[in-house]
Amino acid sequence: MSRMVLAACVVMLVFASGMAAAGGAGGHGEGGGAAEPGLPNLITVALALGGPEFAQSKVGHFLHEWEYQIFMVLITALLCGFLVATARLRQFVPTRMQALLEIAVEGFYNFVTGLLGKHNAKHVPFIGCLFLFIWFNNLFGLVPLFTGATSKFQTTIALALVVFFYIHIYALKDAGLRYYLWHMAGSPDSLVGWCLAPLLFILEVIGKLVQPLSLALRLYGNLTGEHILSGVFLLLGMMLAGAFMPHPPVGVPLHLPFLFLGLLVGTIQALVFTLLSTIYLMMLLPHDDHHDHEEAHAHAGAAH
Amino acid sequence: MGELLNMFLKELPKILTTVLAFGIFFWVAKKLFWASILQVIENRQARIQGEFDKVTALRKEVEDLKADYTKRIAEIEREAQSRKQQEIAHGRKVAEEIIEQARAEARGEIERVKQTVAIEMDKARAQLREEVIRMTVAATERIIRERLDDAKHRQLISQFVEDLAAR
């Protein structure tokens, strides 16, 4: 069985290499700029097979312009379908499949609540969705004739902005404006601290604005680098095959090791993005002592 | 800065598409996946916790019962030991009484036997004297039948026997 799966993988990779040959460079330039090597996908292959007329047409232009977003929507739809399909796995006595799913969910729940605390368990769905969205996009980038949107900066910055607004809105909602501003001013508790507060506030604001940028750039850089590496080795494989015959139907799959590397990088980067988002959220949310303080105030108020 | 802003505005539809796609995914996942699966896990945890609590309470109850049972067994054993000792003491007392009674009875029996023996000895003596008299009379009769009459004869012998008894 595993041999059959392996053989199928190799055939698909070889097919992808062949498609790369059909798609020319195998990638496409940004806005008609310099060609960026990458693994071919259904749209690049269709554009290559359709010829320059198709590429210049409205549909071709749209497909070229929105290539990654189309795949992202497709992957999101698949992901939604997958999650909806798991809806029947909610029995009290779990099946093997449900047990597996629950182990993953519970592991994630423990991971998030371990960082944020049990009282912040409401953030588990958001962080879980973030991880699944990025992970699936990363992994679909490795599936032949597919691509993941996370190797585009528009996607990663959009996700980082979502995280940015989410954590700041929840920080304001949970802690209140006073605590939020006090925290942004470096949590001053002495005269020196209050004197430095304006400076620290500015620095903190800059730091907070840089956080989503760093998240987006890290994910984009890693995924793009991995895709370019795979594309370059795919082209090298084609060139190597071309050295033995004039028009090779398939190339040597030299990029195969990088696909396995991509599997690892995709998972790690999804985890890193999620972990950092959780940590940013943890840093902004009120801590337990603040909670205790607020609760004490509330109790005192109730007593009065 | 303006160029960056223009680039951002140019890519804004794509960014918004990504945000929208993620938003829809988040909404669907939250409604159809996370809420229900976390609820199932929570319910199961609560039920398992409830069962554990029940088991703990039952175990405590059983331990209390066991402790009570052990205490009662110890009390029963102590009481049994005490009763045993009392019964032993009582038994010893009864045995001593019985022995004493037996001894008294034995002494009485001995006295009675001694009296019987004395009576029998007296009887035997009287019988023996009668026998000796008869034999002596018979012997003397043979020897001196011809010379003494019967009355004299009897007087002499009786005298002889009395002398003999006095000795």
Side-chain angles (χ1 to χ4, degrees):
Chain A
M1 184 66 183
S2 58
R3 280 184 184 176
M4 281 177 70
V5 172
L6 191 65
C9 289
V10 170
V11 167
M12 285 175 87
L13 285 166
V14 171
F15 178 67
S17 304
M19 286 294 118
H28 63 88
E30 277 292 309
E36 180 189 286
L39 296 172
N41 59 55
L42 280 170
I43 292 176
T44 55
V45 170
L47 287 172
L49 289 176
E53 295 84 23
F54 180 64
Q56 295 298 323
S57 68
K58 270 189 174 178
V59 176
H61 184 72
F62 172 79
L63 286 176
H64 173 70
E65 191 67 26
W66 290 82
E67 175 189 339
Y68 287 91
Q69 277 65 39
I70 289 168
F71 277 106
M72 183 194 66
V73 169
L74 193 66
I75 291 164
T76 309
L78 281 172
L79 202 49
C80 286
F82 169 72
L83 293 186
V84 170
T86 64
R88 64 189 173 81
L89 303 173
R90 301 286 187 274
Q91 289 137 14
F92 189 78
V93 179
T95 58
R96 199 176 288 182
M97 195 67 190
Q98 188 181 339
L100 199 69
L101 187 72
E102 283 182 9
I103 287 169
V105 169
E106 215 170 340
F108 205 82
Y109 178 87
N110 289 337
F111 160 73
V112 175
T113 52
L115 282 169
L116 299 178
K118 289 268 182 197
H119 56 282
N120 281 318
K122 63 183 173 189
H123 300 296
V124 171
F126 175 75
I127 294 163
C129 285
L130 199 64
F131 174 76
L132 284 175
F133 190 83
I134 296 169
W135 192 44
F136 267 67
N137 270 286
N138 291 351
L139 294 189
F140 266 91
L142 304 171
V143 177
L145 300 179
F146 267 84
T147 191
T150 41
S151 57
K152 287 286 127 185
F153 191 61
Q154 296 97 319
T155 310
T156 59
I157 193 71
L159 290 174
L161 285 172
V162 167
V163 170
F164 176 80
F165 283 113
Y166 181 89
I167 62 177
H168 284 272
I169 286 168
Y170 265 102
L172 270 168
K173 198 175 151 190
D174 284 8
L177 186 63
R178 265 182 63 190
Y179 178 82
Y180 180 78
L181 291 175
W182 178 74
H183 179 78
M184 290 292 276
S187 313
D189 53 358
S190 63
L191 186 64
V192 180
W194 282 109
C195 290
L196 288 172
L199 180 66
L200 286 173
F201 184 81
I202 294 165
L203 286 175
E204 195 74 28
V205 168
I206 293 169
K208 294 289 182 248
L209 289 173
V210 166
Q211 277 177 0
L213 200 64
S214 75
L215 275 178
L217 281 172
R218 186 183 297 104
L219 184 61
Y220 164 70
N222 277 288
L223 269 291
T224 308
E226 185 264 319
H227 282 193
I228 290 174
L229 195 65
S230 302
V232 167
F233 273 83
L234 178 67
L235 285 176
L236 277 176
M238 287 304 303
M239 286 162 70
L240 190 66
F244 294 104
M245 65 170 72
H247 296 290
V250 291
V252 182
L254 289 179
H255 63 299
L256 187 63
F258 299 104
L259 293 183
F260 290 108
L261 182 71
L263 210 65
L264 193 69
V265 170
T267 307
I268 289 172
Q269 286 309 315
L271 267 174
V272 167
F273 194 100
T274 312
L275 178 67
L276 286 174
S277 303
T278 315
I279 290 170
Y280 294 153
L281 184 61
M282 182 186 75
M283 284 162 69
L284 268 178
L285 286 176
H287 304 301
D288 286 342
D289 52 344
H290 178 73
H291 254 291
D292 295 343
H293 190 66
E294 293 276 315
E295 274 175 21
H297 265 291
H299 281 300
H304 280 294
Chain B
M1 192 67 184
E3 199 178 332
L4 266 175
L5 189 68
N6 280 340
M7 265 180 67
F8 181 77
L9 289 174
K10 190 187 160 201
E11 298 297 337
L12 192 61
K14 290 176 187 170
I15 292 171
L16 289 178
T17 308
T18 307
V19 172
L20 185 68
F22 179 76
I24 290 169
F25 168 62
F26 176 51
W27 184 78
V28 170
K30 196 178 174 185
K31 289 277 173 205
L32 300 175
F33 180 72
W34 290 104
S36 55
I37 201 159
L38 289 175
Q39 189 63 49
V40 166
I41 292 171
E42 200 177 311
N43 287 348
R44 191 181 299 123
Q45 276 176 348
R47 184 158 166 185
I48 290 168
Q49 190 60 47
E51 294 293 327
F52 266 116
D53 290 347
K54 265 189 204 170
V55 168
T56 311
L58 272 174
R59 185 184 285 173
K60 195 178 173 300
E61 202 176 315
V62 167
E63 277 171 6
D64 289 349
L65 277 172
K66 194 183 166 189
D68 187 43
Y69 177 72
T70 312
K71 195 178 154 191
R72 282 174 67 181
I73 281 182
E75 273 175 16
I76 288 166
E77 274 179 3
R78 206 164 40 244
E79 198 176 324
Q81 195 68 27
S82 160
R83 281 192 186 180
K84 202 169 127 187
Q85 293 298 333
Q86 280 177 6
E87 290 304 319
I88 287 169
H90 180 67
R92 277 182 185 154
K93 196 178 164 189
V94 169
E96 278 171 11
E97 281 173 9
I98 289 167
I99 288 166
E100 195 54 44
Q101 194 180 347
R103 277 180 185 154
E105 279 178 9
R107 276 197 296 273
E109 194 68 27
I110 288 165
E111 285 301 317
R112 202 165 51 245
V113 168
K114 274 181 182 172
Q115 283 173 6
T116 309
V117 167
I119 291 163
E120 288 299 321
M121 277 179 76
D122 287 347
K123 273 185 187 174
R125 272 190 198 128
Q127 201 175 357
L128 186 63
R129 193 174 61 185
E130 282 299 316
E131 192 65 28
V132 168
I133 290 166
R134 193 185 58 79
M135 282 169 72
T136 309
V137 168
T140 311
E141 215 175 36
R142 274 185 196 174
I143 297 165
I144 58 167
R145 181 173 295 233
E146 298 301 326
R147 290 184 290 165
L148 292 175
D149 61 348
D150 191 54
K152 185 74 177 172
H153 184 193
R154 278 190 175 271
Q155 190 189 355
L156 283 171
I157 288 167
S158 185
Q159 186 68 45
F160 172 75
V161 169
E162 276 170 9
D163 290 346
L164 196 67
R167 268 189 290 174

